[in-house]
Amino acid sequence: MKATFLGVPRTSLRHMLLAITGALSLMTAAMAVSELSVSAARLREVLRLNRVTDLTNKMFVASESLALERDVTLSLLSSHDPDVDGALLPSLGEVRNATAAGGRDLVAGLTAENAAIAPTLRASIEARGRAISALRGEIDRALNGASPAVSAELVARWNDILSAELADID
């Protein structure tokens, strides 16, 4: 028969130490799991912030290149100086390439996980991009002399559509 103390069986010191060590190990494991879940939540937030920052950078690049294309094109359309035209015309192609690349990157970055308005904004940017491409053809004909004079209506349409696109991006 085992010895008891107040009806509780006596255990050896070794058994008590094992029980205490086991309990401490369980508490340590629980604390580690808790810390892992907190760290995982922080990591999700950091990754979300990284995606938002990346999208913001893409919006800035697209906006900057679009504004530059608008300004170079408006300068060319309003210029009557061959020297100015000669200086700006080569940069128009570079600016258009930068605008196209910035627009593609922005549209690719507009996914549902980045923003609740992404589908609407993406559709708007894509539709306006098609209109901008069509206007570029008219502008090229005007700049190449195919159109006898640059109409104020063409300048106004170009300015309006690019300003609207910039407003959407901003």
Side-chain angles (χ1 to χ4, degrees):
M1 174 168 250
K2 280 191 158 189
T4 62
F5 179 73
L6 299 175
V8 176
R10 284 192 178 183
T11 58
S12 69
L13 183 59
R14 182 175 69 105
H15 288 122
M16 284 192 277
L17 289 175
L18 282 174
I20 291 170
T21 303
L24 288 174
S25 295
L26 284 175
M27 288 190 314
T28 303
M31 288 172 43
V33 167
S34 173
E35 284 298 314
L36 281 174
S37 71
V38 168
S39 294
R42 282 187 194 141
L43 178 62
R44 281 190 300 276
E45 285 300 309
V46 167
L47 291 174
R48 187 184 68 74
L49 181 60
N50 190 25
R51 286 190 303 270
V52 169
T53 302
D54 185 48
L55 180 62
T56 302
N57 289 340
K58 288 177 181 181
M59 291 175 115
F60 177 76
V61 168
S63 176
E64 183 180 58
S65 60
L66 196 61
L68 186 58
E69 181 181 356
R70 178 194 60 194
D71 296 345
V72 168
T73 302
L74 289 174
S75 296
L76 280 166
L77 289 172
S78 63
S79 170
H80 302 293
D81 185 352
D83 292 335
V84 171
D85 293 349
L88 289 178
L89 205 51
S91 66
L92 182 60
E94 295 171 19
V95 170
R96 282 182 177 175
N97 290 338
T99 300
R104 279 191 306 272
D105 287 348
L106 177 58
V107 167
L110 286 171
T111 60
E113 73 177 334
N114 287 21
I117 61 167
T120 306
L121 184 57
R122 183 179 185 148
S124 172
I125 289 172
E126 288 174 334
R128 209 169 280 119
R130 289 187 293 275
I132 289 170
S133 293
L135 272 178
R136 282 180 182 149
E138 289 183 48
I139 288 168
D140 288 344
R141 285 189 294 281
L143 293 175
N144 291 330
S147 298
V150 175
S151 70
E153 186 265 338
L154 176 61
V155 172
R157 279 192 302 150
W158 179 254
N159 188 50
D160 291 347
I161 196 163
L162 267 74
S163 295
E165 184 81 339
L166 285 168
D168 275 355
I169 293 171
D170 288 341

